[in-house]
Every structure is written in structure tokens, then in C-alpha cells.
Amino acid sequence: MGDGYDLVVIGAGSGGVRAARVAAGYGARVAIVEEYRVGGTCVIRGCVPKKLFVYASRFSDMFELAGSFGWTVDGAAFDWKTLVANKDKEIARLEAAYVSGLEKPGVEIIRDRAVLTGPHGVHLVRSGRDLEARTILIATGSRPKIPDIPGRELGFTSNEAFHLEALPHSILIEGGGYVAVEFATIFAGLGVDTTIVYRGDRVLRGFDADLREGLDAGLETRGIKRIYQTNVRALRRQGRDVVVSFSDGVDAPFGAVMFATGRNPNVAGLGLEAAGVEVGEAGIAVDAYSRTNVPSIYAVGDVTGRVALTPVAIREGQAFAETVFNANPIAVDHSLIGTAVFAEPELATIGLTEEAAATHGNIDVYVARFRPMMNTLSSKSERMILKLITEADGGRVLGVHILGPGAAELIQLVAIPMGMGAEKADFDRAMAMHPTAAEELVTFRSPTYRYRGGIKQP
């Protein structure tokens, strides 16, 4: 294949792979350039291996519950190296599937680093080769943010967490978002003494308050310590431990320190200035069709700073290919996106929080709290939460928030009727399936409380 292409994609993550594959399916000559591994953060060192690690960490809870169901679990032991090896095997399988999915429609995979040289030019750093493309798509994703503090090299991020040689005896995780609470769940479930330090007053800023409180209680139950309204000022080595200096003046040693303080778009060293591509604080600036200010250059996924979720990047990549290579203009709707946090307890949400919904007019709020059935034969007192927020008097469903087992699976299904504009009566028409947790969503009769004129009322 020559050096001229209809499309050159920079970055073989979820969004870039989808765009390349679909564009090639429409007859375009496509090359995709990737300097690391095909699959991107989600597949290689993100949501997929993380979910596998979460599964591993949940066995400690299951062993605890086993006795209440008559099981005796003796001699159970965990081996970190076995988990890592099996995870690596699965990731390799997935990467091979991604490669096959690209090669089948004829996409050329180039293992190199790409730098823009202009609106239609791409230079390959390792090989020295120069490519020309009618259209260029940037899908380089994002990378973990590391605080600029003394001793920062003594900490690690989620990238390295999947490849630790051994579990530390204790760990401090700085951050209060998805990554922080999910890895706190993982490490604690695998027996590591775990602490979260976060500058805010509670983890998961921006989520519904009931879910934040419920997760905080769940972390407490699992022995995960939280240090709020504090951050890390410096790290220093002391023997095999890392001593952390906190902003409140306290110093304390930990076996390891992990930074989960957000992510930055991968824009450095791409040659964006040479190509004249506009970059804002959040990332590459694009319009509704993922087009930059340079007509021949597009961008999708985390690098744009819109919504940093893998399914969003995939949808944007699909829409890009439809728009540019199938004469079918599609603008992705980012207004109603469900999201899940695979902590323990698990939580998931879609739509408006109670606080946000109360600013949109009169609303009704329905809340159910109960022990998951799995726990009822044991002494575990943890509560599940299901919350339904609607417009007043049985109007449109504005938000659904769930904390507890299977929360993500439930919200994925709830997203369908919400996307169709479902009202409370539509939920009521569904026959309850008993005994399930989800039946609570279709059996609410009276609001737990209401907001009228922005004021909470019983």
C-alpha cells in the first residue's frame, strides 16, 4: 500500500479502532498508527483489566457470606501473580481480536509514533515515513495526571497498578473519583490495608448525594480509611516504605502510594500547532461532528475532553465514520449517558441528580433502602439504594440512581426507557419480577418526598 490514504487514524484505542474499521468497511483506504498496543487504555490498562481485578477482590465478601448459606470455606488463599498472569492472557486475546477486526476490512496497522506535519500530513517518528491523508482522525485518548510534588516518582498510577510485582502491605490512594474508589475496593478486597486521601469532603463529587453517602459507608464497612479535605504535599523513601507528607502537617508511612487524581488529554508532541489545530483547556476543540477548526482533521474520545468514557468514544468514532465516509451526518447526543462505578458496593446512575433536578422545576423523589437478599441470612447490614426522580405528579423520569449488587446492569436497561422519554406511569405498567432488587423501580406508589418551588417537602 502506498503512502496516500483516505483516512489516517492516530491512536488505536476504542474510538480510533471503531472509526478505522467502519470507514474501511465503507471502502476507504485506512491506516491506523499506534505506538503502544492495539486496544487503548480501556482494553489494555483500564476498564477491562480493572473489572477483572474487581471480580477477584469480591471473593473476600463472598467467602464471608458463604457460612450463612451452609458452606465451609477452609484454606482459601489468594495469589497475586496468578491473577496478573491470567489477566495478561485475556488482554492478549482481546488485543488479537482488535487486530483481527482491523485487518479484516483492510486497515493497515502501523506500529509507530505519529506527528502531524500539516492539515493532510503525518510523519512517523520511528520509521521516518511520511503519510498523506485526505482526512486525519486524532484518537489518542488520555493519560493519568501525576501531581507536581517532591518525590512524585515514588508513586504510581492505574497504568502501573496492573503490573505490580507484589501487593504492598498498605497503600494510600490519592483521589476521589472512579479510579480511586475502584482501586481502593480492589486492594482492600485482596487484603491490603487501604487508605484514600481526597481534597473534597466525600468521594465521587458530582454524583447523587445518597449514592455518595452510601458508598462512603460501604468503604467504611470494608475497612477502607478515608482522609478528607487533605492532599499529598510530598513523598520520600524510608526503607521499603514511602513516607507521605500531608497538607494537614501529618507524616505517615505506606507500603505504596497510588495517584488517581484525574487524567489529561494526550495532546503533547502530536504536532497540533504545526497543523493549526485549536486546543482548549479540556482538550482538542471539536464541533458536534467531531471536526476541529482544521476541516480535514477530526478528533474523538478522551482527547476532546467531552465525556471520558469508552462507550462514548466508540459512539463518536462510529458517528465520525458515518458522517465522513457514508454521507450520513450524525452528531452524538451527550445529554443522557449512564455511568457505573465498580467499587464495592457498586453504583450506577443516569440522568439528573436530586440536587440538579430540583433546579429544573417541581419534582417527586422515590427512594428505597433495604438489605440485598444475598445478605439477609448473615449479619451484614449494608443497605442497597434505589432512587427514582421524576417530574411532579408522575411526569417524565429525570434520573435513576442505584447503589448495590448489579447496579451497572440495572442502569444499562433503565437507559432505554429514559432515552424514550418514559414517565412514571410507564415504569408502573411493568409487572414486578419477584424477588429482585429491580422490582423496586416499578412498585413505587407514593413519593418519599417532593420538591415544590425548589423546597424539599415530605
Side-chain angles (χ1 to χ4, degrees):
M1 181 177 286
D3 289 350
Y5 299 89
D6 298 311
L7 172 65
V8 169
V9 179
I10 303 175
S14 298
V17 167
R18 175 60 63 90
R21 183 171 59 78
V22 174
Y26 287 134
R29 173 177 282 185
V30 181
I32 189 166
V33 185
E34 173 56 55
E35 65 176 329
Y36 182 52
R37 296 177 66 179
V38 175
T41 294
C42 179
V43 171
I44 305 301
R45 51 192 181 190
C47 32
V48 171
K50 173 209 60 190
K51 187 73 177 290
L52 295 174
F53 280 20
V54 168
Y55 283 142
S57 71
R58 286 177 175 171
F59 279 95
S60 55
D61 269 6
M62 296 303 293
F63 291 147
E64 183 181 343
L65 287 171
S68 66
F69 289 93
W71 286 90
T72 299
V73 182
D74 292 324
F78 171 72
D79 182 69
W80 170 254
K81 291 185 181 298
T82 298
L83 173 62
V84 172
N86 288 341
K87 176 268 299 181
D88 288 344
K89 186 185 302 183
E90 173 61 8
I91 298 311
R93 184 191 70 80
L94 289 173
E95 182 180 13
Y98 268 65
V99 169
S100 175
L102 287 167
E103 291 177 340
K104 187 174 182 179
V107 177
E108 181 183 353
I109 302 172
I110 302 174
R111 310 277 185 162
D112 210 324
R113 176 169 179 79
V115 178
L116 297 174
T117 57
H120 299 279
V122 175
H123 176 69
L124 302 181
V125 175
R126 295 172 189 164
S127 68
R129 181 180 169 195
D130 289 302
L131 311 180
E132 290 290 325
R134 179 166 59 87
T135 302
I136 297 171
L137 176 67
I138 301 170
T140 49
S142 61
R143 66 186 185 281
K145 184 187 301 182
I146 300 176
D148 187 13
I149 59 172
R152 64 202 296 258
E153 70 279 0
L154 299 176
F156 61 86
T157 71
S158 57
N159 283 356
E160 296 78 36
F162 296 110
H163 303 285
L164 296 177
E165 291 187 6
L167 288 174
H169 64 85
S170 66
I171 189 168
L172 176 76
I173 301 175
E174 183 176 22
Y178 293 72
V179 175
V181 298
E182 289 174 339
F183 271 95
T185 288
I186 290 168
F187 284 116
L190 299 180
V192 179
D193 184 4
T194 303
T195 302
I196 291 173
V197 59
Y198 179 48
R199 64 184 179 181
D201 61 354
R202 185 173 283 136
V203 293
L204 294 187
R205 179 173 60 88
F207 281 71
D208 189 86
D210 281 330
L211 267 59
R212 297 179 72 193
E213 292 175 8
L215 176 59
D216 194 62
L219 297 176
E220 174 77 22
T221 298
R222 283 163 180 77
I224 299 172
K225 295 177 284 293
R226 286 94 56 232
I227 305 172
Y228 289 136
Q229 297 181 319
T230 308
N231 53 35
V232 176
R233 289 287 176 84
L235 306 178
R236 72 177 189 274
R237 176 69 67 187
Q238 180 177 288
R240 300 184 66 178
D241 284 346
V242 177
V243 175
V244 178
S245 296
F246 294 102
S247 57
D248 59 5
V250 174
D251 286 6
F254 295 88
V257 175
M258 177 176 171
F259 297 120
T261 48
R263 299 180 68 86
N264 289 323
N266 275 324
V267 295
L270 283 177
L272 298 175
E273 301 85 356
V277 175
E278 180 182 339
V279 180
E281 288 187 11
I284 296 175
V286 294
D287 65 14
Y289 297 95
S290 296
R291 196 174 205 173
T292 71
N293 60 303
V294 179
S296 59
I297 300 177
Y298 293 71
V300 298
D302 290 11
V303 76
T304 68
R306 288 180 286 190
V307 179
L309 293 171
T310 296
V312 176
I314 293 171
R315 182 67 61 88
E316 290 171 355
Q318 176 83 35
F320 157 79
E322 289 287 341
T323 299
V324 178
F325 295 99
N326 194 37
N328 179 29
I330 296 176
V332 176
D333 182 2
H334 296 89
S335 64
L336 191 64
I337 299 172
T339 187
V341 181
F342 295 103
E344 191 60 44
E346 183 173 299
L347 63 91
T349 180
I350 188 169
L352 299 178
T353 65
E354 178 181 320
E355 181 181 30
T359 68
H360 285 60
N362 295 333
I363 62 169
D364 294 338
V365 181
Y366 304 80
V367 183
R369 290 181 172 88
F370 53 92
R371 291 173 70 195
M373 193 172 183
M374 176 70 78
N375 295 347
T376 55
L377 300 185
S378 74
S379 60
K380 289 178 71 71
S381 60
E382 193 167 84
R383 314 292 283 181
M384 189 167 186
I385 302 173
L386 287 91
K387 188 172 191 177
L388 182 69
I389 303 170
T390 73
E391 293 175 340
D393 303 319
R396 185 167 55 95
V397 177
L398 301 175
V400 179
H401 311 279
I402 300 175
L403 176 89
E409 304 291 346
L410 298 179
I411 286 295
Q412 178 64 85
L413 295 177
V414 166
I416 299 170
M418 283 192 66
M420 299 170 68
E423 297 183 347
K424 177 66 166 60
D426 297 311
F427 276 56
D428 293 341
R429 270 195 297 273
M431 188 71 72
M433 294 178 62
H434 184 74
T436 66
E439 68 182 297
E440 298 291 336
L441 292 176
V442 301
T443 55
F444 283 123
R445 292 295 169 244
S446 300
T448 307
Y449 48 89
R450 304 171 173 83
Y451 282 83
R452 296 295 184 264
I455 299 174
K456 186 175 180 179
Q457 303 176 357

